[in-house]
Amino acid sequence: MTGWKKVVGTGLLLSGAVVLAACGGNEDTSSSTDQTDFTGDSLTIGVWGGNEAEEKSLDEMIQSFEEATGATVEKKVYTDYNTQIQADMAGRTAPDVFYVDAYMFPWFSENGTLAELDPANFESEQFYDSLIDAFTTSDGQLQAVPKDMSTLALYFNTAIFEEAGVSIDEVPDTLEAYVEWLPSFQEKINEAYGDGNVFAMSYNQDMARNYHLATRENAQPINEDGTANLADPAVVDNLSILKELVDTKAAVTPQDIGTGWNGEAFGSGKIAIMDEGDWVYETLKTEFPDIPFVVKEMPTYKGTEGSMMFSVGWGKYVGTEKSALADKWIQHATGQSGMQAWVEGTGTLPSRQDVADAAKITENSDLNVHLEAWDYATIWQKGTTLDTINKAYQNFLPNALNGNMTFEEAMEAADEQANADITAN
């Protein structure tokens, strides 16, 4: 799934007061879903642009929906999703249903833009619990239905291991043990490929990748009031493992080696191990077919399993005048047959267990690693200030990793920047 990557890093445009005034608040737009004939009616759906497979699958879903209901569907594709859709909400021109990224759900919900959905109408019991929870308010209102999900897992380039004379079975199970093991692995890689050509491991300086580390042992990198708490000693202690990994000289970012992202770094044969989402799976198969790989679970850290989970749901605009038809669309897109067609066409992971079985994803040993991580992965979601805090984190984490600042100093600076921005907004 590429959805989460398209909205991370996009700033918030409008204040809550503006959106609430435009929407009229979170009014009840519940509707009957018994109607099946919507001939002559129309529905607008709000999405961001996807890859070729996603575009094709969405168009096929629209066609099948139009054939089933008699309605017509207008697809509104945003290029700067959060900014543009919030402007449409303020102008009361928002789509009837639209993509809701899990990390943005708290903002859309708290600003009264999402209608309440009846869980019974959308077979909520068939979905993975953590995903339904991610789109449910603290008082129990379901406000979006997850269309798919992604999790992080480890990818191993088996050709590099073979060339270096190292068995994948030798890779440690814990992140702490990586610190001791990586130097010797890197030494063998250097003997096989020469110094500076191939590296043992990649990592990312994005809190969306590191958040599950930051929260180990119940540490709280974000306070309940939404302010940044990255400098908390427990959080610093959790994240310091990144500095230890970098200090091995065996862990690099994709940008360190002249590539844009993990998939390119791994696909070009410059990285032996990466942690990446399942969206990379089809990329490797299609764009880098000569790279042999296997997928394994993320290493444990501080005695517990961990990963990140990303999801996008379909939400219904609270101001829609097509409530029943909007419900039908969400049912169509997230029902068993609709979701199966979607995941088979896009290569994404389903948010329903019955679809995982029907699409035979559980029979794919690589993708099943991603699928099973739903049970312990940390959802990329925490209040309405997550994006602001992530930006500050990205600004100062490099200073902690390159030694220009201590980790404590870097996180204190990140907190200061984030909280100043939060207060200003």
Side-chain angles (χ1 to χ4, degrees):
M1 182 186 69
T2 59
W4 78 272
K5 296 188 291 184
K6 294 183 179 297
V7 293
V8 168
T10 304
L12 300 184
L13 172 68
L14 305 174
S15 70
V18 171
V19 175
L20 282 168
C23 296
N26 188 15
E27 62 193 62
D28 182 11
T29 61
S30 59
S31 59
S32 169
T33 57
D34 294 336
Q35 183 179 352
T36 58
D37 186 359
F38 292 88
T39 301
D41 217 338
S42 63
L43 185 78
T44 303
I45 63 173
V47 301
W48 50 73
N51 59 36
E52 183 178 347
E54 290 169 335
E55 294 288 347
K56 181 175 183 290
S57 296
L58 182 58
D59 288 342
E60 289 175 351
M61 183 178 293
I62 289 172
Q63 181 180 354
S64 63
F65 181 76
E66 289 177 336
E67 292 172 353
T69 63
T72 59
V73 176
E74 177 187 350
K75 182 174 62 173
K76 190 168 187 178
V77 181
Y78 294 93
T79 55
D80 185 359
Y81 190 79
N82 288 332
T83 301
Q84 291 173 327
I85 199 168
Q86 289 170 43
D88 279 355
M89 288 172 178
R92 300 188 180 185
T93 59
D96 300 296
V97 291
F98 57 95
Y99 281 170
V100 180
D101 193 286
Y103 104 95
M104 282 297 298
F105 172 75
W107 191 91
F108 283 119
S109 180
E110 289 185 21
N111 284 281
T113 66
L114 291 167
E116 182 178 358
L117 304 174
D118 183 350
N121 286 340
F122 302 95
E123 300 180 313
S124 63
E125 73 282 355
Q126 297 293 341
F127 291 76
Y128 296 109
D129 293 342
S130 55
L131 290 174
I132 287 294
D133 291 345
F135 295 102
T136 301
T137 65
S138 59
D139 61 354
Q141 291 187 21
L142 178 67
Q143 292 188 340
V145 182
K147 70 183 184 69
D148 51 20
M149 70 163 178
S150 294
T151 64
L152 298 182
L154 287 182
Y155 282 69
F156 297 85
N157 182 320
T158 56
I160 295 177
F161 275 85
E162 183 176 348
E163 189 70 20
V166 177
S167 170
I168 289 177
D169 294 335
E170 297 178 36
V171 180
D173 294 328
T174 73
L175 198 56
E176 293 92 336
Y178 267 64
V179 175
E180 302 298 324
W181 176 78
L182 281 173
S184 62
F185 182 38
Q186 185 63 54
E187 182 178 344
K188 293 174 182 177
I189 289 175
N190 291 344
E191 292 173 358
Y193 294 94
D195 293 353
N197 294 316
V198 177
F199 289 87
M201 183 179 181
S202 63
Y203 74 98
N204 286 270
Q205 298 178 2
D206 184 347
M207 198 163 70
R209 303 300 186 96
N210 307 152
Y211 193 67
H212 69 106
L213 301 176
T215 58
R216 295 301 166 99
E217 298 184 335
N218 299 315
Q220 299 295 322
I222 302 175
N223 292 314
E224 288 305 313
D225 64 359
T227 55
N229 190 39
L230 296 169
D232 180 270
V235 177
V236 170
D237 182 68
N238 283 343
L239 289 172
S240 293
I241 189 69
L242 296 174
K243 172 65 172 170
E244 296 178 43
L245 292 170
V246 169
D247 285 348
T248 66
K249 309 299 184 184
V252 296
T253 68
Q255 293 73 29
D256 288 336
I257 55 175
T259 57
W261 69 295
N262 266 339
E264 181 185 359
F266 189 88
S268 60
K270 296 181 179 181
I271 294 293
I273 305 171
M274 70 171 175
D275 65 323
E276 193 54 78
D278 48 274
W279 52 78
V280 79
Y281 182 83
E282 286 300 322
T283 298
L284 295 177
K285 291 290 189 180
T286 57
E287 297 183 22
F288 305 100
D290 295 332
I291 298 295
F293 67 89
V294 296
V295 182
K296 301 289 185 182
E297 295 82 4
M298 297 278 282
T300 64
Y301 181 50
K302 295 199 170 183
T304 59
E305 294 177 297
S307 178
M308 291 300 298
M309 178 188 289
F310 311 96
S311 183
V312 174
W314 282 106
K316 179 169 68 171
Y317 178 46
V318 73
T320 182
E321 297 179 354
K322 308 290 180 62
S323 186
L325 186 56
D327 282 353
K328 279 296 182 186
W329 170 265
I330 298 173
Q331 288 177 327
H332 183 81
T334 65
Q336 183 176 15
S337 59
M339 188 180 293
Q340 182 173 346
W342 173 257
V343 300
E344 289 178 346
T346 62
T348 54
L349 294 180
S351 48
R352 299 172 56 125
Q353 178 64 60
D354 56 354
V355 175
D357 294 334
K360 299 183 178 180
I361 293 174
T362 53
E363 297 178 15
N364 182 315
S365 59
D366 290 329
L367 290 179
N368 197 48
V369 172
H370 284 286
L371 191 66
E372 291 184 342
W374 80 267
D375 191 38
Y376 55 82
T378 300
I379 191 77
W380 177 232
Q381 181 186 85
K382 181 65 176 179
T384 60
T385 59
L386 187 59
D387 184 57
T388 300
I389 296 171
N390 186 22
K391 288 176 181 176
Y393 175 84
Q394 291 177 338
N395 284 342
F396 288 97
L397 180 65
N399 291 321
L401 299 181
N402 64 24
N404 287 342
M405 305 173 78
T406 67
F407 223 108
E408 293 82 355
E409 291 170 342
M411 293 301 99
E412 287 171 0
D415 280 348
E416 183 177 353
Q417 176 188 309
N419 290 334
D421 290 343
I422 290 167
T423 301
N425 292 328

